[in-house]
Amino acid sequence: MSVPADLSGVIDAEMCIGCGACVFADPSLDLILDPQSLVYRPSHAGNAAAAAVCPAVEVDFAELHRRRFPGVEVGPYGVVEAVHLAQSVDPDRNRRASSGGLIKELLIELLGREDVDGAIALSHVGGLDFQPRMIRTAEEVDTLPGSIYHALAQPRTIELLRENPGRFVVVAIPCQLEGIWKYIDAHEPRLAKRIHSTIGLICGWQYSHHALRAICDYEGVDPERIVDLSYRGDGPVGKLRLTLDDGSEVTASRRTHFGYQVAFDRHFNTPRCHLCVNHSNYLADLVVGDAWLPSTVFTRTGISLVISRTPRARALVEGLAADGRIVSTEVSEEEIRESQKDRVVFGDFAYAYAEYLDELGIHRPRMSGPNRERATPASRGEVEHFHRERMRKRELQRAGRYRRLRWRKATVELRSFLARYWRWFAVRILRIKSLTGEREELPREVMKRFR
């Protein structure tokens, strides 16, 4: 594929994910929050240099794998050295994280090593603004927020690498790492030496700021009054917690609150998320995410799925376990698939939707991951229906008609909404796959070591 002359296609299709690579390739650019889509985008179309580093234009996973993991075999799950289920032994830490507390344990360990000068991770600035910042001590780790689900502009990571000599751990979501590595490889390869290692999140989706405006509308809250928020905490699934300027809080259970189910429906995702084939974070040395498995459903404080992509990452995880700071058990690669579903792991929907957008002449990122051969693309009917619904709901969002979306979920969409809960109950609680012989669950004697 030839590189486009600029980012006009990315802007028109609202495909920006806010990684910030373009603003360093073309300093005339800035990232702004689009007032209609409420997703970040470049301030103008820029030039071909900006387009060349943009992961919303193209991602060459084969080349990026060759550079990041030279000489290592790449399978359908990316490069995999080991897969573990793990959980911090600190109950407060993993309860706040909702998924095991592994990232903070990893950062504390790495910051204590002589060859690590700091870590770059997301930090709260104020209101809905979260930006990467440099942390240098273990004491700072517990001040970091958990996962943030709404769209952010994050050029600060590259800026911090530029400004600070030394070797740093970078914590990032998949598309952010795509942009960082594309920019570094093309323009500042010296910065690669400043990255000691990368810790990636398994990422389901990012959401436009319409999702937060919708939940505020349902709860009768002015979104301008939000001074802080947390998407997880208080258990494995967790709660959305909004802190207002008078110190009061608004909470919504992520599993049972109907308004949350509407506001954080997939039609509120940033558009590029629907085309992502890299939810499992192929470019990170070590990947952490929720272990959504039948054997982990009854955990009180959450369990993490941990993918080590290098021997050094594996040694890090196993060293923490040997020191008694985490509880872990090694599992197979198939637990990645079972935990995250084929739609996410193999890009079943993304590949089909990309082809459909090609037919419509709508810009979309060009990318084919190592999971392509394992993908079973979604049907034409499914992607057509999804696109129609996305366009319809996009207009309702832009008009601020969030209550209309709630009404639709409670009426015309109720059957599919309830069917999704039934599937969750059948697979996670009844363990129907075990009963039908499709798979074997992890033995109870293995799982009883976890809280």
Side-chain angles (χ1 to χ4, degrees):
M1 173 187 172
S2 59
V3 176
D6 56 34
L7 294 169
S8 55
V10 174
I11 295 172
D12 291 345
E14 301 173 354
M15 290 291 170
C16 177
I17 48 82
C19 69
C22 64
V23 306
F24 293 98
D26 178 358
S28 71
L29 290 169
D30 195 5
L31 291 179
I32 62 173
L33 187 67
D34 186 278
Q36 288 190 311
S37 68
L38 295 186
V39 171
Y40 281 91
R41 65 169 176 83
S43 52
H44 59 91
N47 57 29
V53 300
C54 176
V57 170
E58 182 180 23
V59 182
D60 185 344
F61 285 108
E63 175 61 16
L64 288 167
H65 271 114
R66 186 185 69 79
R67 288 176 176 270
R68 305 285 80 81
F69 310 103
V72 181
E73 181 181 355
V74 183
Y77 300 101
V79 172
V80 178
E81 176 71 22
V83 183
H84 290 85
L85 298 182
Q87 182 187 69
S88 170
V89 300
D90 184 319
D92 291 332
R93 187 168 291 141
N94 61 34
R95 186 175 294 108
R96 288 196 300 271
S98 285
S99 58
L102 258 291
I103 289 180
K104 291 183 177 180
E105 292 292 353
L106 293 164
L107 288 176
I108 290 169
E109 170 62 24
L110 288 167
L111 287 170
R113 297 188 174 185
E114 291 185 358
D115 61 340
V116 175
D117 297 292
I120 300 172
L122 209 60
S123 181
H124 187 226
V125 176
L128 302 182
D129 189 15
F130 291 76
Q131 291 288 333
R133 75 174 172 99
M134 181 72 71
I135 62 170
R136 297 186 182 271
T137 66
E139 289 72 26
E140 294 177 272
V141 171
D142 280 324
T143 68
L144 297 174
S147 298
I148 302 301
Y149 291 9
H150 62 273
L152 299 170
Q154 300 193 58
R156 183 73 175 140
T157 297
I158 295 175
E159 187 178 339
L160 288 168
L161 289 171
R162 275 178 153 186
E163 293 175 346
N164 294 278
R167 302 257 293 157
F168 307 102
V169 179
V170 174
V171 182
I173 61 175
C175 53
Q176 184 187 3
L177 276 182
E178 293 165 10
I180 289 170
W181 284 123
K182 286 193 70 175
Y183 172 78
I184 287 175
D185 290 345
H187 293 277
E188 294 192 67
R190 66 184 180 86
L191 295 184
K193 295 181 179 179
R194 294 191 178 173
I195 298 180
H196 172 277
S197 52
T198 52
I199 298 176
L201 286 76
I202 293 177
C203 182
W205 325 98
Q206 269 190 346
Y207 293 89
S208 77
H209 288 222
H210 281 294
L212 286 167
R213 293 197 181 186
I215 195 71
C216 285
D217 185 52
Y218 303 150
E219 295 299 310
V221 173
D222 180 355
E224 299 300 322
R225 294 185 57 201
I226 298 174
V227 296
D228 198 2
L229 81 166
S230 170
Y231 286 90
R232 303 296 298 273
D234 297 331
V237 178
K239 296 179 181 178
L240 171 69
R241 189 181 302 275
L242 307 176
T243 303
L244 307 182
D245 52 11
D246 62 358
S248 63
E249 291 186 338
V250 175
T251 63
S253 167
R254 296 176 63 243
R255 181 74 77 192
T256 60
H257 190 284
F258 187 72
Y260 183 94
Q261 297 301 313
V262 179
F264 291 88
D265 174 276
R266 61 192 290 231
H267 295 90
F268 282 84
N269 295 150
T270 57
R272 188 185 181 276
C273 292
H274 302 302
L275 297 152
C276 179
V277 300
N278 182 27
H279 293 284
S280 300
N281 218 324
Y282 295 132
L283 305 179
D285 298 313
L286 197 151
V287 185
V288 179
D290 290 290
W292 298 121
L293 298 166
S295 53
T296 65
V297 163
F298 300 104
T299 177
R300 296 190 301 276
T301 56
I303 296 175
S304 295
L305 181 74
V306 185
I307 308 169
S308 299
R309 302 202 184 277
T310 66
R312 184 170 68 170
R314 177 177 187 152
L316 175 60
V317 174
E318 293 179 348
L320 286 173
D323 291 342
R325 291 167 55 186
I326 67 171
V327 177
S328 75
T329 186
E330 188 167 357
V331 295
S332 73
E333 290 183 3
E334 285 302 308
E335 299 304 327
I336 303 173
R337 177 183 184 181
E338 186 64 26
S339 175
Q340 306 300 319
K341 300 181 181 178
D342 287 13
R343 183 188 189 92
V344 172
V345 174
F346 298 138
D348 288 357
F349 181 82
Y351 286 117
Y353 192 40
E355 292 180 3
Y356 181 68
L357 293 185
D358 285 344
E359 293 178 23
L360 297 180
I362 297 174
H363 171 88
R364 56 90 170 182
R366 302 287 164 178
M367 53 185 176
S368 182
N371 56 2
R372 184 65 180 89
E373 291 187 3
R374 289 284 294 273
T376 303
S379 69
R380 171 66 176 242
E382 181 182 349
V383 296
E384 284 183 337
H385 175 75
F386 169 79
H387 186 72
R388 286 195 302 270
E389 286 295 293
R390 188 169 84 82
M391 293 298 101
R392 181 181 293 119
K393 291 183 178 182
R394 182 184 70 169
E395 296 312 309
L396 291 172
Q397 291 167 20
R398 291 181 174 190
R401 299 182 65 187
Y402 304 125
R403 299 196 178 208
R404 171 74 176 179
L405 292 168
R406 186 170 60 177
W407 179 85
R408 280 181 59 85
K409 182 76 76 176
T411 55
V412 295
E413 298 175 15
L414 184 61
R415 182 176 179 179
S416 60
F417 174 67
L418 295 175
R420 182 165 62 87
Y421 269 90
W422 166 248
R423 288 193 298 272
W424 170 82
F425 183 77
V427 173
R428 302 289 194 248
I429 306 300
L430 298 182
R431 305 187 179 200
I432 195 70
K433 289 186 177 182
S434 297
L435 297 175
T436 58
E438 292 180 59
R439 73 184 305 269
E440 292 184 11
E441 301 298 341
L442 298 172
R444 291 186 182 275
E445 57 267 25
V446 170
M447 297 308 299
K448 68 182 181 181
R449 70 185 69 173
F450 295 98
R451 277 191 303 276

